[in-house]
């Protein structure tokens, strides 16, 4: 009898175990369960898509928050005053000149223009100072270079500005800033002097756009210590010309012996070559290329110019 009970109990336990295994492995044919699994799968995919959208949106947001292309890159480590390539310079560019500060309060003592006596262009203006007067940054920006040039600028500072300009300050006695230093408009950057090729204390001040030395009188009204307008439009054909909106002239009187190009005026139709002139220097002062000047005058690439020769400018 006991043997029969043991056999029956063993059979029941065996059936229970088999039933349990069967219950875990049988796949339900219930259509609701299949729909539920599909819904879960769909939600998983949607979750992945949401994460992808969020990621892309975040990347887009980062892109939107990125600043304009860094202007402190091209030619930044160059020791040249002009580190730019001609091919990269646009024909025209509107430049924001608000937020300015006059580099020093002195009056203009020598204007931008050709200096026949030296056979070269004076690519900036000279402002009167006393030795060790403070020189200020004309715009906010960053110091690209502090350097010394014995036969020219002497000690000089070059600042690069967010508006695309570079300003050059020459004949300095002492630097108050270092390369890569960020400066604000009106911040002291140097003490003025008479170093380099100079006959007395003054500030040589240049305004350049991608290497082109713009006539500072086109941007600044030095007499009234302001800018002519809030923007200046750079043009390869007019960058040498001054602007004057004041009722009375704000420009220093030109020395007719030195400034024979009349600051790049386009009013003249001819130019008489002076000793030391080159086609390139003449052409640039009138806002054209040497190739254009040669073409106007029917000159070949090997033709030379001589003092006293009359060149057509139009």
């Amino acid at each position: 009898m006991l043997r029969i009970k043991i056999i029956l109990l063993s059979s029941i336990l065996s059936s229970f175990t088999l039933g349990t295994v069967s219950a875990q492995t049988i796949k339900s044919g219930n259509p609701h369960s299949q729909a539920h699994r599909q819904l879960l799968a769909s939600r998983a995919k949607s979750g992945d898509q949401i994460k992808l959208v969020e990621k892309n949106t975040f990347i887009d947001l980062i892109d939107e928050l990125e600043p304009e292309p860094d202007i402190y890159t091209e030619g930044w480590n160059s020791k040249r005053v002009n580190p730019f390539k001609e091919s990269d310079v646009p024909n025209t560019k509107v430049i924001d000149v608000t937020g300015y500060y006059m580099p020093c309060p002195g009056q203009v003592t020598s204007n931008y223009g050709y200096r026949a006596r030296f056979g070269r262009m004076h690519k900036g203006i000279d402002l009167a100072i006393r030795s060790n007067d403070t020189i200020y940054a004309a715009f906010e920006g960053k110091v690209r270079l502090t350097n010394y040039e014995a036969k020219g600028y002497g000690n000089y500072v070059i600042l690069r500005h967010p508006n695309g300009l570079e300003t050059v300050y020459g004949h300095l006695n002492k630097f108050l800033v270092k390369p890569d230093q960020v400066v604000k408009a009106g911040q002291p950057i140097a003490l003025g002097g008479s170093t380099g090729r100079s006959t007395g204390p003054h500030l040589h001040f240049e305004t350049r756009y991608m290497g082109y030395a713009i006539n500072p009188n086109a941007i600044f009204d030095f007499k009234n210590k302001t800018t002519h307008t809030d923007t200046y439009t750079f043009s390869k054909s007019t960058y040498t010309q001054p602007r004057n909106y004041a009722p009375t002239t704000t420009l220093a009187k030109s020395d007719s012996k030195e400034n024979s190009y009349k600051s790049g005026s386009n009013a003249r139709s001819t130019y008489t070559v002076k000793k030391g002139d080159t086609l390139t220097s003449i052409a640039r002062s009138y806002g054209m290329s040497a190739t254009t000047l040669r073409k106007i005058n029917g000159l070949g690439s090997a033709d030379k110019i001589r003092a006293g020769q009359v060149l057509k400018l139009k």
Side-chain angles (χ1 to χ4, degrees), residues 83-225:
F84 298 95
K85 298 177 182 178
E86 171 64 26
S87 58
D88 294 333
V89 184
N91 288 323
T92 61
K93 174 69 175 179
V94 177
I95 300 171
D96 182 352
V97 292
T98 57
Y100 68 92
Y101 195 95
M102 302 308 294
C104 69
Q107 66 179 359
V108 177
T109 58
S110 182
N111 264 308
Y112 175 101
Y114 183 71
R115 299 294 184 260
R117 185 168 65 185
F118 302 117
R120 59 184 174 83
M121 278 288 291
H122 185 230
K123 295 181 179 179
I125 56 144
D126 293 340
L127 297 168
I129 62 167
R130 294 171 299 181
S131 185
N132 292 320
D133 274 356
T134 302
I135 308 302
Y136 304 93
F139 300 97
E140 66 173 325
K142 196 173 183 181
V143 181
R144 178 168 73 82
L145 183 64
T146 59
N147 206 356
Y148 176 75
E149 183 184 85
K151 297 182 179 180
Y153 294 106
N155 293 316
Y156 66 98
V157 172
I158 299 180
L159 304 182
R160 186 173 293 184
H161 309 288
N163 61 9
L165 290 176
E166 285 196 334
T167 48
V168 183
Y169 310 77
H171 307 307
L172 308 172
N173 271 351
K174 183 179 180 180
F175 302 129
L176 301 180
V177 291
K178 297 179 180 180
D180 295 321
Q181 181 177 336
V182 175
V183 297
K184 296 180 180 180
Q187 179 175 330
I189 59 171
L191 300 181
S194 185
T195 58
R197 191 172 185 176
S198 172
T199 57
H202 70 280
L203 173 67
H204 175 81
F205 177 64
E206 295 183 10
T207 49
R208 289 175 173 260
Y209 176 68
M210 298 193 73
Y212 276 72
I214 298 168
N215 189 333
N217 288 307
I219 299 174
F220 293 97
D221 176 353
F222 289 98
K223 184 176 180 62
N224 296 304
K225 308 297 186 289

Side-chain angles (χ1 to χ4, degrees), residues 50-62:
I50 290 171
K51 289 179 182 178
L52 180 60
V53 170
E54 288 176 345
K55 180 179 179 181
N56 289 338
T57 302
F58 179 67
I59 291 172
D60 291 341
L61 181 60
I62 291 175

